[in-house]
Every structure is written in structure tokens, then in C-alpha cells.
Amino acid sequence: MNRQRSITWFQASAVVISSIIGGGVLDIPRTAAATADSGAPLITLAGIAIALLGIWLITVLGMRFPKENLFQYSQHILGKPVAYSVNLCMVLFFVILTALTVRQFGEVVVSAVLRKTPIEVTIIILLLLATVTTRRNIIRFSYIHMFYLPFILGPVLGIALISLQNAEVLNLQPIIGNHPKDVIGGGLSITALFQSSLIITLIIPFMKKPEKSLRSSMLGGTIAGLLYFIIVISTVAAFGPQETIQLIWPTLEIARLTSLPGKIFERLDAIFIAVLVITVFTTIYATYYLASYAARETFGLKDHGFLSSFLLPFLYLVAMIPQDIFQLYRMGEIVGKVGLSLTLGYPLLLWIIAVIRKIRGNPVEE
């Protein structure tokens, strides 16, 4: 195991960042505005805070078992029958999450770029690309995320900051919102965007210094959270909360509205869509990998490559279930909130039991 520990803390941070930043950039302003009106930034911060708490929890739990991942050490804590049952639920959850993310991307491409292309074609191509890439081992997995990180952070952050030139401060007042509703539900919807950060549990056993994994995960979660926060502020401040609620993809609309100084690019939506391809790919790469790895540990197999191919038709079938974009978002909201019981509640339960029973994994040899 020691010879396989080649992932640095910075690479681990890159994996966390690129796994979290995905399709959520499209609709997070609408989700926040629908819940808290002009208080959208505040509810976004609340959701991010809960997400960072969850990331801290899963990382601290993983540091107790530096040689194992969540799907392995859960068997020691809860026993194999119970752990296997929850692992199967994890497989099902990440399959659904991956499929819905792919479908969301397909809807954007078909409506904004390839209007005459059947959505099935876009979905199949992206799933095939993800399936082939998911067969890689965890070391190459981290290298791929590391490679794509600059192409995600730079353009998305740049577009968000440039779009602030269209901001109107009055659109963000009062900061607590006008008649906020379902604040808890809205905060949890934003927290659900961070569920792919569970990938850190697969990274820790391969890190050179697993004791630095907390730095990696918290840095990654914070950077991703700040990016989401800036997107919400720039979009709601430009359109106003009521107009933001009416937009299906408000971040895409703000990119269309924004131009570079000097009219170098009068619209940035083309760049945004190109970057969106990368952000969605890295996110489904992480969730697909989690589903395959969870299935591998559940069924006791040595390699997850076959399982990634086996899951492909199921991913396609789930992706085609929603009849339209509105049903897709309703499904996504339900799945995201229910999934928090697995990505937040389950690690919390494991941590409590491990602390009470004083269960720890074997330390890493120097």
C-alpha cells in the first residue's frame, strides 16, 4: 500500500474541487432565490457551511482508517450485513445522481447549441466517455482531475467576476430576504451540490500523507463553495431575485449578458458552455467512480472496470426517465435531499459509533 501512496494533498484538493463544481453552476442562483428572494447569498452561505461540516466529518472519519475507504471500514464498524445493505444504497444513489447530471447537461446542449441533435445522442456520448475513463485506477483518476482544474476554476471564476459589472446592489436588499420560505429545504438543496465530495474517502488511502487530508478536503470544499457563492451574488444582483427564479439556467443567461471590456468578446456564453462540458464531465466522473467502487466493495471484486461498463445501460435508462426539464429538476431536488442521509447522516452515524467503541484502523507505516 505504501508504494501506491502517490497522491499529494494538493492533488486531493483538486479532486474535491472539480468533483463538486458541476451542473450546479447552472441553477444554484435560481434555487437560492426561490427560497430566500434577495437573501439568496445568505441561504447559499448556510448551505455551504453545512456542506463543509459534512466534508470535515467524512475526512476525520477517513483519517481514523487511513488504509481503507468508507465502503471497507463501514464493515468493521457496523458489521458486513448492514454495511453491504447501505453500500448497495450508495450504488443506487450515485447511479441516479450521475444519470440526472448527464441528463441536465444533455438538456443544456440540445437547447443552447445542438438544437437539431437528439438528446439521446448527447447522453450516450457523454456516458461512453465517462465509462471508458472510469476504468482507470485511482492514481490516474486524480491526475485527470488535476489536469482539468485550471480549465474549470479560471473561466468560471472569470465569468462570475466580470458579470459583477452588471450588478445592482439593491437587488440584494434586504440581505435576509423578503418573506423567505422553506429556508431549511433551500439550504439543504445547496448542500446537496457538494455530495460528490464523498470522493475524498477513496483518495485518503492513496495519499502520501493522509494526515494532511483534512487540509485538502476543507480547502477544496471552501474554494468550490466560494465559487458558488460568487455565482449566486453576481446572478441575483444582475437580474434581481424574481427574474432569476423565472430563468431555467440563470448562470448561462448571465454569461450571455456579460462582455469583456473593450468588446473583445461581446457574449461569454460560448466559453461558458465549453467550460460546462469539462465541469459536468469531472463531476459525473467522480460520482460514476463512487458508484463503481461501492459496487466493487459490495460484491467483493478486485477491479471496478467491469462494473463501470455493467452500470452503463442503467445510467442511460435512469437519465431518460424525466419527461421534461421541470420533472428533471423535481427529481434532482428529491434525490439530492434524500441522498444527504447517505452522504451526511451515514458518516455521522459511523463516526459516532467508531468514537464510542474506540474503533480505529491500522496506522500508516513511515
Side-chain angles (χ1 to χ4, degrees):
M1 175 66 75
N2 285 341
R3 287 178 296 179
Q4 298 176 355
R5 289 185 175 274
S6 58
I7 299 179
T8 65
W9 72 268
F10 186 75
Q11 287 174 319
S13 291
V15 172
V16 173
I17 296 169
S18 59
S19 297
I20 294 174
I21 300 174
V25 301
L26 283 167
D27 64 327
I28 186 174
R30 179 173 54 81
T31 301
T35 301
D37 197 65
S38 59
L42 195 60
I43 198 67
T44 302
L45 279 179
I48 292 170
I50 298 172
L52 290 176
L53 180 61
I55 294 173
W56 175 86
L57 179 64
I58 190 62
T59 307
V60 169
L61 181 61
M63 291 170 66
R64 292 180 69 93
F65 304 88
K67 292 185 177 182
E68 298 176 302
N69 58 58
L70 173 68
F71 311 111
Q72 294 171 332
Y73 58 70
S74 60
Q75 300 175 29
H76 307 317
I77 298 174
L78 296 178
K80 290 186 177 181
V82 177
Y84 284 170
S85 300
V86 180
N87 286 349
L88 280 175
C89 292
M90 285 277 196
V91 174
L92 179 61
F93 168 68
F94 281 112
V95 163
I96 296 175
L97 189 61
T98 303
L100 294 181
T101 305
V102 172
R103 174 62 184 272
Q104 181 190 35
F105 174 75
E107 293 284 354
V108 175
V109 170
V110 170
S111 64
V113 184
L114 307 175
R115 299 177 184 268
K116 296 184 179 181
T117 303
I119 192 172
E120 292 84 356
V121 175
T122 303
I123 290 174
I124 289 174
I125 291 175
L126 188 56
L127 283 177
L128 286 173
L129 178 61
T131 301
V132 172
T133 315
T134 304
R135 299 176 69 91
R136 305 285 184 177
N137 61 38
I138 196 71
I139 307 299
R140 293 182 179 179
F141 171 86
S142 66
Y143 289 160
I144 291 173
H145 279 275
M146 185 73 178
F147 174 78
Y148 282 121
L149 182 63
F151 301 102
I152 296 173
L153 277 184
V156 175
L157 181 60
I159 291 173
L161 291 176
I162 294 172
S163 65
L164 287 174
Q165 64 184 327
N166 304 309
E168 176 56 61
V169 178
L170 288 177
N171 287 330
L172 300 175
Q173 296 177 357
I175 60 173
I176 60 173
N178 293 299
H179 309 294
K181 54 185 178 180
D182 192 21
V183 173
I184 296 177
L188 292 179
S189 294
I190 292 170
T191 300
L193 298 176
F194 290 73
Q195 293 184 100
S196 53
S197 61
L198 195 71
I199 194 68
I200 190 64
T201 188
L202 302 185
I203 298 295
I204 292 175
F206 295 90
M207 289 183 65
K208 289 181 178 180
K209 297 182 178 180
E211 65 272 12
K212 292 186 177 181
S213 56
L214 188 59
R215 176 199 297 181
S216 301
S217 62
M218 295 306 292
L219 177 63
T222 301
I223 291 175
L226 286 175
L227 185 59
Y228 277 139
F229 182 63
I230 294 172
I231 289 173
V232 170
I233 289 180
S234 61
T235 305
V236 176
F239 293 123
Q242 294 306 314
E243 180 66 22
T244 301
I245 295 172
Q246 303 302 318
L247 300 172
I248 298 179
W249 299 302
T251 311
L252 178 59
E253 297 302 327
I254 196 68
R256 286 174 174 164
L257 181 67
T258 304
S259 61
L260 288 177
K263 303 295 182 179
I264 299 175
F265 288 106
E266 293 190 4
R267 287 173 47 174
L268 299 179
D269 53 320
I271 297 176
F272 178 77
I273 291 176
V275 174
L276 185 65
V277 176
I278 302 174
T279 61
V280 170
F281 170 73
T282 54
T283 299
I284 66 170
Y285 188 20
T287 54
Y288 201 167
Y289 208 92
L290 279 164
S292 302
Y293 225 89
R296 164 192 161 174
E297 297 298 340
T298 302
F299 299 114
L301 302 178
K302 293 183 178 180
D303 182 56
H304 67 279
F306 165 76
L307 290 168
S308 64
S309 301
F310 177 77
L311 292 174
L312 177 60
F314 297 100
L315 286 164
Y316 175 76
L317 292 175
V318 174
M320 298 310 299
I321 288 177
Q323 298 300 309
D324 51 44
I325 186 65
F326 303 104
Q327 193 176 71
L328 171 65
Y329 278 127
R330 284 195 296 270
M331 261 186 80
E333 186 175 356
I334 294 171
V335 170
K337 290 180 180 178
V338 172
L340 289 174
S341 61
L342 291 172
T343 56
L344 284 181
Y346 184 50
L348 176 61
L349 176 64
L350 292 176
W351 181 74
I352 292 173
I353 295 175
V355 170
I356 292 176
R357 296 180 57 190
K358 298 181 180 180
I359 303 174
R360 284 186 175 273
N362 295 325
V364 177
E365 297 84 0
E366 296 294 339

